[in-house]
């Protein structure tokens, strides 16, 4: 088969790789139907995630069809269409028993495209399949469901729920990429008074408006002052960092009100300064986190009912074999306007209906 292989910082290619095989009785082999690229994959290519070894197939978000299962798998069988979660769960360790699947110590956690071969390939081995894949409702398109592998549960759990967004809150979101946009969509579920989005790119700020942001600000146009003006000088109740660079995190700490929440979602490859000389007196709560995906079943039900704007985030589609081109488009999002790129899916021939 073929897959997208990481060779080191700045180097990756779509190439022949060995077919995956069942190694443990809890494994499943999935034929990939639809896959997408995450901002974390770009961080890996930059060298920000040194745990990823050269030779690893990247990717941790996909929808596909079960083609083989190990002898201990009970909840899915060949032929089932499933969502592959970005997080794998052993179900037995202390953290899994607490629902903190992202911190699994039994061989799970974030392993796909990180510690083992991932989903950006024609086939993938998924460990602990009973807890790590989700059968899909028949009416939910694969192209919509794939956004629930990572960005929607990440934004919802690590951003909105960890930030304790409540009705009437002012929520500021720094970074209007896919994670930030999904945070806008899921924050709206809690009826905040206003949502303010901050980004560098006009196209992404326009997308933030479409998805429900009440105000937007270019990062170079004093966004902290805008937040202050809109809140009578108090600051935002919840500020979500969705970029992963020191400047954005430090901006978030300047926007938050006393007693508010700063929620880091972005993947950081460099140290950020924590200005405790300003924050120690403000009763601010700062949280970090890797998604646990405990909310995925709930989000799947919402998506199937049309309650999540998943399709609005997809701007580009490609055949699976155009992975390198898709990465190029996604990595230049400021120029290309890319939000979420989706690869694969069924190819339908055009049908011409003769006139009556």
């Amino acid at each position: 088969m073929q897959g997208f292989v990481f060779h080191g910082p700045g180097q990756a290619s779509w190439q022949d790789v060995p077919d995956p095989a069942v190694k443990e009785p809890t494994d499943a082999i999935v034929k990939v139907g639809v896959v997408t690229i995450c901002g974390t994959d770009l961080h890996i290519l930059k060298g920000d995630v040194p745990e990823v070894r050269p030779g690893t197939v990247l990717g941790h978000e996909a929808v596909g069809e079960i083609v083989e299962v190990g002898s201990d798998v009970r909840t899915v069988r060949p032929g089932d269409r499933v969502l592959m979660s970005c997080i794998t769960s052993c179900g037995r360790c202390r953290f899994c028993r607490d629902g903190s699947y992202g911190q699994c110590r039994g061989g799970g956690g974030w392993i796909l495209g990180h510690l083992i071969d991932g989903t950006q390939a024609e086939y993938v081995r998924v460990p602990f399949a009973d807890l790590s894949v989700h059968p899909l409702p028949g009416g939910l398109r694969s192209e919509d469901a794939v956004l629930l592998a990572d960005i929607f549960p990440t934004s919802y759990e690590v951003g909105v729920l960890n930030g304790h967004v409540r009705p009437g809150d002012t929520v500021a979101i720094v970074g209007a990429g896919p994670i930030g946009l999904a945070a806008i969509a899921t924050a709206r579920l809690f009826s905040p008074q206003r949502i303010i989005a901050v980004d560098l790119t006009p196209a992404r700020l326009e997308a933030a408006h479409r998805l429900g942001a009440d105000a937007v600000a270019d990062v170079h146009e004093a966004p902290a002052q805008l937040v202050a003006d809109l809140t009578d000088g108090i600051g935002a109740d919840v500020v979500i960092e969705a970029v992963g660079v020191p400047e954005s995190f430090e901006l978030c700490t300047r926007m938050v009100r006393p007693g508010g929440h700063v929620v880091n979602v972005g993947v950081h490859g460099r140290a950020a300064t924590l200005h405790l000389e300003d924050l120690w007196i403000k009763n601010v709560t700062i949280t970090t986190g890797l998604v646990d995906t405990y909310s995925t079943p709930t989000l799947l039900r919402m998506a199937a009912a049309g309650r999540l704007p998943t399709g609005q985030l997809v701007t580009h589609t490609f055949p699976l074999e155009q992975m390198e081109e898709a990465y190029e488009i996604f990595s230049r999002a400021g120029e290309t306007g890319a939000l979420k790129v989706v690869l694969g899916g069924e190819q339908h021939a055009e049908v011409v209906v003769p006139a009556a």
Side-chain angles (χ1 to χ4, degrees):
M1 71 167 190
Q2 292 191 305
F4 191 67
V5 180
F6 173 69
H7 297 295
Q11 300 179 359
S13 62
W14 179 256
Q15 64 182 66
D16 290 335
V17 293
D19 292 348
V22 169
K23 295 182 179 180
E24 302 290 341
T26 53
D27 289 348
I29 305 299
V30 184
K31 180 180 181 181
V32 174
V34 172
V35 68
T36 185
I37 302 171
C38 181
T40 303
D41 297 320
L42 299 184
H43 280 281
I44 292 171
L45 283 177
K46 287 169 58 180
D48 290 345
V49 189
E51 299 86 2
V52 181
R53 296 181 177 180
T56 302
V57 175
L58 296 185
H60 52 267
E61 305 168 88
V63 168
E65 179 183 326
I66 300 284
V67 295
E68 186 180 358
V69 296
S71 58
D72 287 352
V73 176
R74 297 289 181 267
T75 61
V76 290
R77 59 185 180 180
D80 286 349
R81 189 172 65 110
V82 297
L83 171 70
M84 286 166 268
S85 175
C86 65
I87 297 297
T88 303
S89 167
C90 79
R92 297 187 178 94
C93 72
R94 169 186 172 179
F95 292 101
C96 286
R97 287 177 179 272
D98 288 341
S100 300
Y101 308 124
Q103 304 301 321
C104 175
R105 292 298 184 268
W110 172 36
I111 58 174
L112 290 173
H114 180 207
L115 305 179
I116 67 172
D117 286 339
T119 60
Q120 289 170 4
E122 294 176 305
Y123 292 86
V124 59
R125 178 180 73 93
V126 181
F128 306 114
D130 279 335
L131 292 171
S132 305
V133 301
H134 300 269
L136 291 178
L140 183 59
R141 297 189 322 141
S142 297
E143 293 81 356
D144 293 328
V146 73
L147 300 192
L148 275 64
D150 184 353
I151 66 164
F152 269 90
T154 294
S155 298
Y156 182 56
E157 295 175 18
V158 184
V160 174
L161 296 184
N162 280 4
H164 298 277
V165 175
R166 297 177 298 180
D169 276 354
T170 291
V171 180
I173 299 171
V174 178
I179 289 288
L181 295 174
I184 291 170
T186 51
R188 283 173 53 85
L189 300 173
F190 293 86
S191 301
Q193 180 183 1
R194 64 174 68 87
I195 298 174
I196 305 163
V198 180
D199 201 274
L200 287 165
T201 308
R204 291 192 167 188
L205 293 176
E206 291 174 12
H209 253 317
R210 291 197 303 271
L211 284 164
D214 302 286
V216 299
D218 186 291
V219 72
H220 297 302
E221 296 178 353
Q225 185 61 52
L226 173 64
V227 170
D229 291 344
L230 292 174
T231 59
D232 296 325
I234 294 174
D237 301 283
V238 182
V239 187
I240 298 175
E241 198 285 337
V243 182
V245 298
E247 296 80 5
S248 61
F249 176 78
E250 293 167 29
L251 173 61
C252 290
T253 63
R254 295 196 298 273
M255 288 180 165
V256 69
R257 69 164 172 83
H261 290 76
V262 173
V263 189
N264 186 86
V265 185
V267 177
H268 288 263
R270 292 183 289 135
T273 301
L274 180 62
H275 288 284
L276 285 177
E277 73 277 11
D278 298 323
L279 296 172
W280 73 271
I281 201 170
K282 293 179 67 175
N283 293 14
V284 171
T285 299
I286 299 175
T287 59
T288 66
L290 176 67
V291 65
D292 293 311
T293 67
Y294 62 81
S295 68
T296 301
T298 298
L299 294 171
L300 278 170
R301 291 194 298 272
M302 295 178 65
R307 302 297 187 186
L308 294 176
T310 51
Q312 294 184 43
L313 274 67
V314 177
T315 54
H316 296 73
T317 59
F318 300 86
L320 194 61
E321 62 271 15
Q322 291 184 9
M323 187 70 68
E324 293 181 13
E325 180 181 349
Y327 261 89
E328 174 67 17
I329 295 294
F330 187 58
S331 67
R332 296 188 296 109
E335 304 167 40
T336 63
L339 294 175
K340 205 66 175 164
V341 301
V342 169
L343 299 97
E346 296 182 6
Q347 303 298 314
H348 299 285
E350 183 176 351
V351 177
V352 178
V353 179

